[in-house]
Amino acid sequence: MIPYGKQSISNDDVESVIDVLKSDFLTQGPVVPQFELEISKYVGATYAVAVNSATSALHIACLSLGVNKNSVVWISAISFVASSNCALYCGATVDFVDIDKDTINISPETLVKKIKYNYENNLPLPDVLIVVHMAGQSCDMKPIHDLAQEYKFKIIEDASHAIGASYYGKPVGSCIYSDITVFSFHPVKIITTGEGGIAVTNDENIYTKMNLYRSHGVTRDERLMSGCDGPWYYEQIELGFNYRMTEMQAALGLSQVKSLNKFVSQRNKIAIKYDAQLHSTKITLPVTQQYSKPSWHLYVIQLNADKLNREDVFTKLREKDVGVNVHYRPIYLNPYYQSLGFKKGLCPNSEEYYSSCISIPLYHGMPEKEQDAVIYAVNEACA
Ligand SMILES: *Cc1c(COP(=O)(O)O)cnc(C)c1O
């Protein structure tokens, strides 16, 4: 089966992990800060906090923005469940915003309408909005940021798919239009640390809080402590977690960053080849927006529902050993969210997208033969 995604590990990657294993520190050593510095430089943010997953990064991001049981958090409806679970971990009330069908990202128009409607009808407005750069293409952040200014909410960018992408020439993660951006280093993502994630920000206060939440809420920083009994002294000042990244993970990440531009350009090259050679008129291909340079993590085709049956096409492709997948079902259609009271029909575009989308294989190092096999199989299945 040709996988829909896969990591790409070089000998240098392996060597750098082995070096750490032979060193004094397996955790809380020098490599995690080096990795944080490298990522923050790459994405153009001032601060970075590396953790054991993007899910943890989303959780500490929410906590550091003060999300609690009185908060309202809105999330783009099409994403992995972690994008909204993080708000539930904090006890918040969540709600979902529909996507734009061309970008699969949150629709700024729908967001405006929902905010205005809730504002005029005395319904809850968001304290925090979590946007998702689906498949590796940035959301249109400027209008979203303008709304955040006007209606006083914070923004977290879930950029789990999108390291290496840019928006109006600025790297995703520069946090120009948001408070915090989160990246995932799960093996199917663009670079990997095995499990791992990072949260970046330009705000020193947010950084300090995320740092605390990552590691038990414990600090040795005298500026944060109430006193000091001696050189052994530390204080717990928040209820934090152990979300730390290991030195082995950071070493792998540090080495992977060196290949990041190469990974992105090869993924994008394969996407351009798909754009050119997938010629069924019964499918819609991803559209690169004028404001965006994507780093395609997923290549999602959308079937014309009148002409093609998704399950048929999906099954045919799997039978041809093409490891297709579906990303994603609207989060609120999962039974857990249904049990919270969410109903079908909440986000019509997202539901329509879900019934028509198929992700086809795309990864760095994908042999040309596999690319051609995917193109052939898709053209045949969608003819
Ligand atoms: C992968 C992913 C996550 C979770 O990442 P982990 O590192 O596996 O915790 C969150 N959001 C999106 C959009 C993802 O694709």
Side-chain angles (χ1 to χ4, degrees), residues 95-115:
D95 198 0
F96 296 91
V97 185
D98 209 354
I99 58 162
D100 172 294
K101 277 197 293 186
D102 290 339
T103 64
I104 337 174
N105 286 329
I106 189 169
S107 158
E109 292 78 25
T110 305
L111 179 64
V112 175
K113 277 194 208 134
K114 192 174 167 93
I115 287 175

Side-chain angles (χ1 to χ4, degrees), residues 22-82:
K22 293 177 176 165
S23 79
D24 290 339
F25 296 99
L26 302 186
T27 187
Q28 293 174 286
V31 188
V32 166
Q34 282 169 32
F35 179 52
E36 290 171 336
L37 183 64
E38 226 29 61
I39 293 289
S40 58
K41 278 199 307 210
Y42 186 92
V43 303
T46 317
Y47 306 103
V49 178
V51 286
N52 56 0
S53 72
T55 304
S56 302
L58 286 163
H59 186 195
I60 63 172
C62 283
L63 288 171
S64 73
L65 295 180
V67 174
N68 62 33
K69 65 181 190 334
N70 301 317
S71 307
V72 174
V73 179
W74 288 8
I75 303 107
S76 185
I78 293 293
S79 186
F80 184 56
V81 293

Side-chain angles (χ1 to χ4, degrees), residues 119-360:
Y119 184 78
E120 279 155 19
N121 292 283
N122 253 323
L123 292 166
L125 289 173
D127 298 296
V128 174
L129 174 72
I130 301 177
V131 301
V132 182
H133 303 309
M134 259 298 286
Q137 170 155 252
S138 175
C139 300
D140 190 3
M141 292 304 295
K142 282 183 184 176
I144 299 170
H145 177 254
D146 289 346
L147 278 170
Q149 300 291 100
E150 192 178 342
Y151 290 91
K152 309 266 176 277
F153 58 86
K154 309 277 190 200
I155 299 176
I156 299 171
E157 297 175 68
D158 182 346
S160 291
H161 297 183
I163 197 160
S166 58
Y167 174 68
Y168 286 116
K170 289 285 191 303
V172 167
S174 55
C175 295
I176 298 171
Y177 304 105
S178 70
D179 298 277
I180 301 169
T181 303
V182 166
F183 298 100
S184 172
F185 306 124
H186 182 279
V188 298
K189 307 294 161 73
I190 295 192
I191 56 170
T192 189
T193 59
E195 295 279 0
I198 205 164
V200 300
T201 183
N202 296 326
D203 183 310
E204 190 181 356
N205 279 326
I206 292 174
Y207 166 69
T208 303
K209 286 186 184 158
M210 291 199 297
N211 222 347
L212 281 168
Y213 287 121
R214 162 174 61 183
S215 199
H216 307 285
V218 158
T219 184
R220 292 175 186 277
D221 185 339
E222 281 187 29
R223 292 166 303 174
L224 301 175
M225 295 196 294
S226 61
C228 184
D229 290 351
W232 61 87
Y233 193 74
Y234 64 81
E235 280 183 354
Q236 184 196 345
I237 58 172
E238 292 282 355
L239 183 59
F241 304 85
N242 180 352
Y243 280 168
R244 291 188 301 259
M245 175 180 271
T246 67
E247 293 282 286
M248 290 80 83
Q249 289 169 309
L252 179 54
L254 200 52
S255 179
Q256 287 258 303
V257 176
K258 295 188 187 133
S259 307
L260 176 49
N261 288 337
K262 184 182 75 181
F263 288 175
V264 170
S265 74
Q266 203 198 45
R267 283 170 170 276
N268 289 351
K269 230 184 242 159
I270 298 170
I272 288 168
K273 180 167 166 176
Y274 284 163
D275 291 343
Q277 296 188 26
L278 295 176
H279 47 57
S280 167
T281 54
K282 299 174 187 165
I283 62 176
T284 307
L285 305 179
V287 186
T288 298
Q289 303 299 306
Q290 41 85 22
Y291 49 73
S292 135
K293 186 187 146 301
S295 61
W296 291 118
H297 157 61
L298 300 172
Y299 193 94
V300 179
I301 62 173
Q302 292 182 65
L303 313 184
N304 182 330
D306 299 333
K307 302 192 175 120
L308 291 169
N309 176 290
R310 200 259 305 270
E311 197 178 331
D312 279 354
V313 173
F314 189 94
T315 310
K316 273 187 200 156
L317 289 170
R318 280 279 173 102
E319 279 166 7
K320 292 268 153 66
D321 278 340
V322 177
V324 284
N325 253 289
V326 167
H327 301 96
Y328 300 94
R329 187 180 187 199
I331 294 173
Y332 63 84
L333 290 183
N334 284 284
Y336 183 77
Y337 282 85
Q338 296 278 291
S339 78
L340 300 179
F342 290 101
K343 296 270 182 309
K344 208 164 184 222
L346 177 62
C347 299
N349 285 352
S350 299
E351 291 177 23
E352 194 184 322
Y353 163 80
Y354 168 59
S355 67
S356 71
C357 66
I358 295 182
S359 307
I360 65 174

